[in-house]
Every structure is written in structure tokens, then in C-alpha cells.
Amino acid sequence: MIKTILSLATVAFAAVLTSCGSKPALCDNSAIMVDQCGYAPTDAKMALLFSKGEKFSVLDCDGRTVLSGDVSAPAFWPEAGDSVRQIDFSRLSAEGCYVISVDDSILSPSFRITPRPHQAALTSAARAFYYNRASMAIDELHGGKWARSAGHPDTLVLVHKSAASESRPEGTRLSLPGGWYDAGDYNKYIVNSAISTYTLLLASDLFASVADTLALSIPESGSASPDLTSETLYNLRWMLSMQDPADGGVYAKLTSLSFEGFIMPADCHMQRYVVAKSTAAALDLAATAAFASRTLPLRSESLKPLADSCRTVAAKAYAWAKANPDVIFHNPDDVSTGEYGDGDVSDEWFWASTEMWLLTGDDAYAADAAAHVKTCSLPSWGCVAPLAFYSMASANRSLPGINAVEELAQVADSLLAAAEASPIRLSMSLFDWGSNSFVANSAMLKAVAYKCLPTRSDYVASLRDDLHYIFGRNATGYSFVTGVGSRPPMNIHHRPSAADGIAEPVPGFLAGGPNTVVPADCGGVETRSSYPAKAYADQECSYSTNEVAINWNAPLVFALLADVSF
Ligand code: G3I
Ligand code: 9MR
């Protein structure tokens, strides 16, 4: 089917290129940015033009013009250092395959108008977690051409000196298999696992009717639990094992001392360690396990025993944090893998105490939460306060003195105001490492707000604008998800994708996206634009723009589930 679409689009492309011949300077097919997955028939539909232009036509993929109109006036977008024009073709609602041409000389990639244009992207983005499973083989039945042998059994992990305790001195052997690799590297970090796992658990809770029937073709498919829940539990079970049963403390990460090379999991033989317990790890595990305990039995009765263990783990981790309230994690001198360093744990306190209160109703937790109320506009691994508002709003129970729905509506309104002022209708204007995840988290926040305030259809429209950005309507022209769209990333900073000998990267992964944090990540020479919105390089070496990560895919899955559900 995709092949047919592309060949039809090629016919139209060739037709327009003929007229391009007379205007070689304008003969550019990378200046019109569309959502390469497409648009739903009843939605607003907009493309972006990063070039001069006045008149646009929408052609079907047989080359027939179906709509014509005027391009908007240009608006300068400082983050891209460029002027942008909008092409509004909302009037077109007939399903089909289309391309847009401007002044008969510039052509867009082809796209579809179709109900649920992001359905396939949803399945693919959710399946990406399966491909990142540690300690097991990806078989051909479920992994297709990306099947690979098992690696990182993690059955002989050593306690690092930073994590030594009386009952588990340095060098103690532990067996802690499973969990997802964090990202393009092979390590497993509690702080980042927590927000990722919680995000997927919340998605299953809020969008149960779609989430519980999502077919992911994973080894657990057909079991009593929904596929997305089974996938999430693969990581949650590992997270629970990172608690020291003796004192309830939680190791910050399971890691090699330095990053592995670009080799397959089965070829990795560096010794793995658990490294230092931290307050952030304890609170993040407490919060995630408490939420899991409260909601897993709703997914499947068979998960009741696991929910009970989550409750016990959460209470013990929380108690450890009470006794060790300010243990900030820093990489020990001999460890150079990801740090997820966070000097301010007040938001972790707020999130964990809120979850414990929602689970138990115990006033002591409410008092702790009241002492740490915090806000930050969007959630990230370093700021988890919004997750407390998500949980309160979706449970319809707020702590005394807090109105969680109102809080979320306020943030959503400010995101919508920012999008309104943006030439490309994007809420984000600061492009940080993992910028695409801020777009996905912005979509997620709008989705939660809409779930609580169903009259606010403008929240849904804006979350769809966020998705359009991710799938190609941005300053780079890339659809940022591997295997999705006509111009996806091909060279992600992801060790299995780099080492497996297969041209296409492992599918369904959201690349980090444009930013200028490490401009020379490909060596001494800068390889990308100095304008943040364009500073993206589809190069394997560009770890700061082209890595993938579980905490970036999780809000994408959330936003896609929302899009498909609404
Ligand atoms: O918090 C400041 C903010 O105040 C400031 O305005 C902004 C300006 O750029 O910087 C913010 O700090 C950034 C921080 O992330 C918080 O978002 C840093 O610049 C940025 O360098 C830092 O990047 C993190 C990166 O590791 C380096 O530490 C990414 O968020 C984080 O996703 C990434 O995580 C890595 C793991 O360590 C290892 N595994 C892969 C993973 C993804 O690349
Ligand atoms: O490959 C590493 C990637 O997985 C990490 O997320 C990233 C940030 O910590 O670091 C990458 O490793 C780079 C290192 O930090 C600096 N030198 C180049 C490495 C990539 O080749």
C-alpha cells in the first residue's frame, strides 16, 4: 500500500517537476513541510512553506488539482532564523493521497487525508519498547528483520563501592535481569525509567478502551494482560528489583562503568554494577510503584498480587527517603555513563507523597505533599511535579487546597497561547536536549487537560498540531520517528540500529530532535545549523540530536493514544 502511494506521488511529482524545469532556482521539494502521516478529514489542515510563494494547489496523487488558494503572509520565526508561510487547506476533507505545490514550482512530500492518520505510528512507537528490552532475545516472529540475540543477562551484577551497605558490601553479586535499555546506550536508570513507566501506565489508565486493545505482537500477546500493560511491566518488574530489601533504598542505576561501543547487546561483555542509592531514585520508584499498585488491578484481575508487591515496595522506598531526604546522585569518579543528575528533589517529594496519599489515603502523606507543592510547566525526568497533578486530576481527587484540574488547565492555556503566537503553531520555543520530548509532553498535558475538561476541544486541536510537528511539519522536514513517514531519521544514535547491519533503523523510535546544546557532537566541526529549530543532524554521531530514549517515546505513545482515542 505504501509503495502504491509513493508511486502515485511520483507521478504527481514528475508532473510538477516538468514545470519546475523552467524555474530551476525554485525547484525545491524540501521547502513545504507536511505531516507525513496525514490529517484526519474533519481536522484543521495546515502545511508550512519555508520559501517565498504566493499561490498553492493541492493535487491528488494522480496529478489532478483539487483545491487552490493563497499562501499566508510570511512571519519571521527567530528560532529557525527564517520566514515561514502557512498553507491552510482545511477545506479539503475527501480521503485520499495528496501533494501540495506552490507556484507550480515547489512540491511537498505526499500525505494522506484519512481517519486516524497516526494509528500505525502509535503501534510502532509502542512496539519500540519491546525492541529495547534487555536480557532477552528479540525473536523473528515479533521482531522481524530486527531480531537479535539476547544480551546483558544482568544475572551477575556487582554492587559498586558507592552502593555498598552492611548486608551487601562492595562486590556482592546480584541478579537484576530485564527492563528496557534507557536509550541508544545499554544502561538502565531508575529516574528515567520512572517517568517513562508512569507515563505508559497513565496512558493505559486514561485511554483504557484503546490502550487495552492495542495489538503489539510481543511475546506476551494473548495473555490475560493487555499488550501495552505487559510491555510496561517488563520494565516495572526490573525497577522493583532495584530496591535493596534490607533497607528499602533504591540504586540509581544499573550500568557499565563507561558507555559500551556501537556493538550488539550479545557482544557486550563489560562488567555491570548497581551504583549509589539516591533520594530521587527512592521517591521516583515509590511514586511509580504506588501508581501501579492503584491502577494495575483495573487492567487485569491477575495483576492483583503484583499490585500488592508494588504497594510494599513503594512504602519501603518512601520510608528510606524519609530517613535519607537529601541524597543527591552524582556519578562516582570511575563511572561516566548517564547521570540524570538532579540537585532539587522537592518535585520528587511532591510526586511521591501525592501518589502515596492517593493509594493509601493516609494524612501523613498529604502533609508531606503539602510541604513540597511545586509546579513546572511540563514534566521531564528532572521535574516530575506535573505528574502529581496528572494523577490527582485523573483520579478526580485533589489534595486539600489544590485544584489539580485548574492547575493543568492553566498550564494548557499558556501552552495554547504560546502556540497561537508561534508562526508554526508550536507551544515550544526553547529547544533543549530531547526537544521533541517537550513537544510530546506538551501534547500529553493537553490530552490530560481535555480528558478532565471535555468542552475544551481547542486542547485536542493543539495536541494534533504537536503531532503534526513531530511527523514532519517542522523546520527540518524530517518525520522524527524511525520508519514513519516519507523522510524519517535513518542514522539514529542507537547502538543496535548502528550495529545490526540492517539499513533501516529499529522502527518506532522518536529522535531527540533539534537543539544547540552540544553543537559539535560529531567532532570538532559543527555539522548542523546554529538556529535551534533547525539544529538537527540525522547522523549517528549526533548523540545530542539523534539519540532515542524511553522517556521520549513514552509521551509520544501517550499523545498518539490520545489522538486515536479522541
Ligand atoms: O535545566 C537546564 C535549563 O535550565 C537550561 O535553560 C537549559 C539550556 O540548554 O539546560 C537545561 O539543562 C539541560 C538538562 O538536560 C535538563 O533538561 C542540559 O542543558 C542538557 O545537557 C541535559 O541533557 C541531558 C543529557 O542526558 C546530558 O546529561 C538530557 O536531558 C538527557 O535526556 C540525556 O540523557 C541521556 C542519558 O544521560 C544516557 N542515556 C541516553 C540519554 C538520552 O540522550
Ligand atoms: O553514546 C553516548 C550516548 O548514549 C549518551 O546518551 C550521550 C550523553 O551522555 O553520550 C554518548 O557518548 C558520547 C560521550 O558522552 C562524549 N563523547 C562521544 C560519545 C558518543 O560517541
Side-chain angles (χ1 to χ4, degrees):
M1 164 117 120
I2 287 172
K3 269 195 182 139
T4 322
I5 297 165
L6 286 179
S7 67
L8 287 172
T10 313
V11 174
F13 181 69
V16 179
L17 266 193
T18 313
S19 54
C20 264
S22 57
K23 297 178 194 167
L26 283 180
C27 189
D28 181 354
N29 71 337
S30 61
I32 304 177
M33 313 312 195
V34 297
D35 182 330
Q36 295 163 27
C37 292
Y39 302 78
T42 51
D43 276 356
K45 298 170 203 72
M46 192 263 277
L48 295 176
L49 174 64
F50 282 82
S51 171
K52 287 189 174 142
E54 284 170 15
K55 302 271 177 210
F56 76 87
S57 304
V58 183
L59 290 74
D60 66 22
C61 287
D62 293 326
R64 282 184 298 258
T65 300
V66 293
L67 183 79
S68 297
D70 291 334
V71 169
S72 80
F76 187 69
W77 185 22
E79 283 77 17
D82 212 345
S83 288
V84 196
R85 292 163 168 84
Q86 295 189 355
I87 297 169
D88 189 336
F89 58 104
S90 302
R91 276 182 296 143
L92 184 62
S93 58
E95 292 180 33
C97 166
Y98 300 98
V99 289
I100 299 171
S101 92
V102 169
D103 296 343
D104 291 334
S105 56
I106 310 176
L107 194 70
S108 76
S110 67
F111 60 90
R112 294 191 70 82
I113 294 183
T114 179
R116 297 194 182 81
H118 301 115
Q119 177 80 53
L122 165 61
T123 307
S124 187
R127 275 175 47 73
F129 292 90
Y130 166 64
Y131 283 114
N132 245 28
R133 287 188 190 186
S135 318
M136 65 177 273
I138 302 300
D139 61 36
E140 221 175 300
L141 177 65
H142 305 102
K145 65 177 166 183
W146 296 280
R148 59 166 171 81
S149 307
H152 305 96
D154 288 342
T155 46
L156 268 179
V157 175
L158 300 184
V159 172
H160 186 263
K161 59 177 179 291
S162 61
S165 57
E166 214 176 293
S167 57
R168 288 180 168 183
E170 178 182 0
T172 304
R173 294 172 165 198
L174 301 176
S175 178
L176 306 167
W180 300 313
Y181 298 128
D182 182 53
D185 65 327
Y186 289 135
N187 305 300
K188 308 190 285 195
Y189 309 83
I190 285 294
V191 162
N192 206 42
S193 263
I195 183 170
S196 311
T197 303
Y198 168 84
T199 297
L200 293 183
L201 290 172
L202 182 68
S204 289
D205 191 47
L206 278 185
F207 306 110
S209 60
V210 176
D212 287 356
T213 54
L214 198 59
L216 296 185
S217 179
I218 54 175
E220 297 79 3
S221 295
S223 72
S225 303
D227 286 2
L228 186 59
T229 300
S230 299
E231 189 53 58
T232 312
L233 295 188
Y234 190 78
N235 198 57
L236 180 69
R237 287 200 164 93
W238 166 75
M239 289 181 70
L240 300 174
S241 77
M242 286 289 279
Q243 179 170 61
D244 178 351
D247 65 0
V250 180
Y251 304 109
K253 59 177 170 174
L254 192 165
T255 182
S256 45
L257 294 182
S258 56
F259 287 117
E260 282 279 5
F262 273 63
I263 55 179
M264 293 302 282
D267 299 325
C268 293
H269 301 298
M270 283 184 177
Q271 179 60 50
R272 310 255 283 178
Y273 297 85
V274 289
V275 179
K277 292 168 184 167
S278 74
T279 306
L283 291 172
D284 280 352
L285 177 60
T288 308
F291 185 82
S293 183
R294 194 157 57 81
T295 58
L296 283 180
L298 303 171
R299 305 277 72 74
S300 164
E301 269 295 303
S302 66
L303 296 174
K304 188 83 183 53
L306 178 63
D308 291 343
S309 344
C310 285
R311 188 186 182 101
T312 309
V313 166
K316 282 183 78 169
Y318 192 89
W320 185 91
K322 286 289 274 186
N324 301 272
D326 212 3
V327 182
I328 302 300
F329 179 79
H330 295 289
N331 259 341
D333 287 349
D334 58 342
V335 178
S336 58
T337 53
E339 186 166 64
Y340 290 114
D342 183 359
D344 176 1
V345 290
S346 56
D347 50 305
E348 283 77 9
W349 273 110
F350 179 48
W351 181 33
S353 47
T354 301
E355 296 294 356
M356 292 304 289
W357 173 71
L358 286 168
L359 175 66
T360 64
D362 187 334
D363 287 344
Y365 293 121
D368 283 356
H372 291 98
V373 177
K374 195 164 165 176
T375 50
C376 40
S377 55
L378 289 177
S380 67
W381 61 262
C383 189
V384 290
L387 309 182
F389 290 108
Y390 288 170
S391 287
M392 286 187 271
S394 52
N396 205 12
R397 264 168 73 208
S398 285
L399 285 157
I402 290 182
N403 183 332
V405 175
E406 220 165 72
E407 290 284 339
L408 289 177
Q410 262 178 34
V411 179
D413 288 344
S414 68
L415 292 172
L416 259 65
E420 199 59 46
S422 149
I424 73 156
R425 287 207 220 141
L426 187 66
S427 302
M428 178 179 73
S429 57
L430 180 79
F431 289 73
D432 210 338
W433 190 312
S435 61
N436 285 335
S437 72
F438 290 92
V439 179
N441 271 306
S442 152
M444 174 173 172
L445 189 137
K446 294 163 194 171
V448 182
Y450 175 70
K451 264 304 242 193
C452 302
L453 297 168
T455 56
R456 295 300 302 269
S457 55
D458 51 339
Y459 291 165
V460 179
S462 188
L463 91 80
R464 291 193 169 131
D465 280 335
D466 292 330
L467 289 175
H468 294 322
Y469 173 93
I470 283 174
F471 293 108
R473 201 178 70 186
N474 55 60
T476 71
Y478 280 95
S479 157
F480 287 121
V481 179
T482 54
V484 177
S486 49
R487 196 181 176 211
M490 291 301 286
N491 308 295
I492 49 175
H493 188 88
H494 179 241
R495 283 160 175 79
S497 295
D500 62 7
I502 295 161
E504 296 89 348
V506 178
F509 279 106
L510 176 65
N515 72 86
T516 50
V517 178
V518 190
D521 56 5
C522 283
V525 188
E526 224 177 275
T527 54
R528 56 188 201 268
S529 169
S530 54
Y531 288 102
K534 287 185 174 174
Y536 169 73
D538 181 22
Q539 288 179 275
E540 199 176 286
C541 50
S542 186
Y543 57 87
S544 66
T545 75
N546 212 23
E547 191 163 1
V548 302
I550 54 173
N551 64 314
W552 303 343
N553 254 64
L556 175 65
V557 168
F558 193 107
L560 288 168
L561 262 176
D563 176 41
V564 169
S565 304
F566 293 153

